[in-house]
Amino acid sequence: MRPLDPRLLAAASAARTLLAGSALIALVQAVAIVAFAWSAGLAIAIVIGGARGDLAQPLGIAAVAIVARGALGWLDQSLATRGSVRVRSQLRERALARIGVAGVADPVGAATGIGRGLEALDGYLAGFMPQLARTIVAVPIVLVALAVQDPFSGIAAAVCLPLIPVFMVLIGLATQSVQRRQWRETERLAASTLDTLEGLATLKLFRRDRRARALVERRSAEHGARTMSVLRVSFLSSLVLELAGSIAIAIVAVSVGVRLLSGDIPLATAFSVLILVPDAFGPVRLVGMAFHASTEGVEATSRVLDLIERRAPTDARAAEGDGGLVLDRLRAVHGGGAVTATMPRGTLVCLGGPSGVGK
């Protein structure tokens, strides 16, 4: 699944509402960030540098900006939480409706995706999507504000900023591969556990219940070990993104400090730039960490979206007439051969075949 899959926006109207609301809140937040940086830099210059001006005005603007950012942050989190619940509900309803029409080839995998998989999507919807909107909307505004106040800092930030997405893509490829294997093993564990529970009476009858229990315990331990490997990759991604962001911020901060000592940049502008720079790199780091933290839900939801878009088999037909039930090239969606048979009324028919052919 891509960072923002168009299929998700098409399948759930609440996802479009969530993204639009987050973008609007991010726009107002960006304005508040720029206003706070400008007013705080001016106030520091008046207090420390002895610059002329009324201190009450920049302090008032800074206070309003702080309150606005706090209120908007609460509103954004509330919108994301409620939107996540609505999106998951809409996806679950559409997936169940599609199963009713087209059937399902892998009941255990579908149940795992619709159940645990969609619940794991909360981190993606409530964490990644709002952060993605903030990155798309706020970062360009902050970069423009930097360039207007100090062209050198704006250019340096614009040049260093792509380093973070490059690292994010490289780590994301590794994380996606690990998470995909983890989800396949999760489905296998769920199927194995279900088979064991369904055949528990038979296993106890033939005294094979201890062997089945040992098998479930071994696979559960392997699942835990694979989960830890996914977490190691996620923690490594956070470390690399933080390191790349810190290096980029340090480059701008050092250049501002050197020019401030030589008198090439005003004190108010220097402090304003130093306050703005973290807000130019912070959203990009956070969106990368949010995406890597929600890879399990992303992989599961990709399966659910595939299920929603799946069509019923076009070469399977069943008709019931006076002679009974007629199957004409009935084919399972997941592998297997075609079945053509006529079953008269009042007869008992047994369909045989090896395991996995789609009986």
Side-chain angles (χ1 to χ4, degrees):
M1 183 176 180
R2 288 164 284 185
L4 184 59
D5 197 327
R7 298 184 301 168
L8 177 61
L9 300 180
S13 60
R16 300 191 295 270
T17 303
L18 173 60
L19 190 61
S22 298
L24 181 60
I25 293 174
L27 177 62
V28 183
Q29 282 181 328
V31 175
I33 290 171
V34 174
F36 172 77
W38 174 82
S39 58
L42 182 58
I44 293 173
I46 293 174
V47 174
I48 298 178
R52 297 180 180 180
D54 184 11
L55 184 60
Q57 181 180 2
L59 288 179
I61 296 175
V64 172
I66 292 174
V67 173
R69 289 188 65 178
L72 290 170
W74 173 84
L75 180 61
D76 189 31
Q77 188 61 41
S78 177
L79 175 67
T81 302
R82 295 181 181 181
S84 173
V85 175
R86 289 194 294 269
V87 171
R88 285 185 281 129
S89 177
Q90 290 179 356
L91 289 177
R92 186 173 288 114
E93 289 178 359
R94 293 203 59 180
L96 292 175
R98 174 55 60 180
I99 290 175
V101 173
V104 60
D106 183 11
V108 176
T112 305
I114 296 174
R116 181 174 179 268
L118 287 181
E119 293 302 322
L121 187 62
D122 186 67
Y124 177 82
L125 296 171
F128 173 73
M129 284 188 63
Q131 191 59 49
L132 178 65
R134 283 192 289 271
T135 301
I136 295 175
V137 175
V139 171
I141 295 176
V142 174
L143 288 177
V144 171
L146 279 173
V148 170
Q149 295 185 75
D150 182 30
F152 179 82
S153 297
I155 295 173
V159 171
C160 295
L161 191 64
L163 294 176
I164 299 177
V166 169
F167 284 114
M168 185 173 66
V169 169
L170 294 177
I171 299 172
L173 294 175
T175 305
Q176 184 181 27
S177 176
V178 173
Q179 186 59 61
R180 187 168 295 166
R181 290 196 301 268
Q182 167 71 357
W183 187 252
R184 286 197 298 266
E185 294 300 327
T186 300
E187 291 179 339
R188 288 182 56 190
L189 177 61
S192 174
T193 304
L194 180 60
D195 288 341
T196 302
L197 292 176
E198 289 178 343
L200 188 58
T202 304
L203 292 172
K204 291 184 69 67
L205 179 63
F206 290 96
R207 297 181 180 181
R208 292 292 185 267
D209 52 318
R210 294 184 179 180
R211 180 181 178 183
R213 183 181 65 182
L215 179 62
V216 172
E217 291 177 350
R218 178 172 60 84
R219 290 183 175 176
S220 298
E222 293 174 353
H223 181 268
R226 286 189 296 269
T227 301
M228 293 303 298
S229 67
V230 174
L231 291 177
R232 283 195 295 270
V233 175
S234 298
F235 292 150
L236 177 62
S237 68
S238 300
L239 173 63
V240 173
L241 292 175
E242 286 288 347
L243 180 61
S246 300
I247 292 175
I249 293 173
I251 292 175
V252 178
V254 169
S255 67
V256 170
V258 171
R259 286 184 294 140
L260 184 61
L261 290 176
S262 61
D264 295 334
I265 183 174
L267 183 62
T269 303
F271 276 103
S272 179
V273 168
L274 292 177
I275 294 172
L276 273 178
V277 168
D279 287 303
F281 294 97
V284 182
R285 296 202 315 269
L286 293 177
V287 74
M289 289 187 289
F291 180 73
H292 293 307
S294 60
T295 50
E296 181 181 6
V298 171
E299 181 64 26
T301 306
S302 179
R303 305 289 183 91
V304 175
L305 292 174
D306 292 339
L307 176 63
I308 292 174
E309 293 182 346
R310 189 172 61 86
R311 298 180 179 180
T314 57
D315 58 48
R317 292 182 294 154
E320 185 176 357
D322 295 337
L325 184 65
V326 179
L327 301 181
D328 184 12
R329 296 188 303 278
L330 180 65
R331 183 184 301 275
V333 176
H334 181 68
V339 177
T340 300
T342 301
M343 291 169 278
R345 286 181 179 273
T347 59
L348 178 62
V349 179
C350 178
L351 180 62
S355 177
V357 299
K359 297 188 296 297

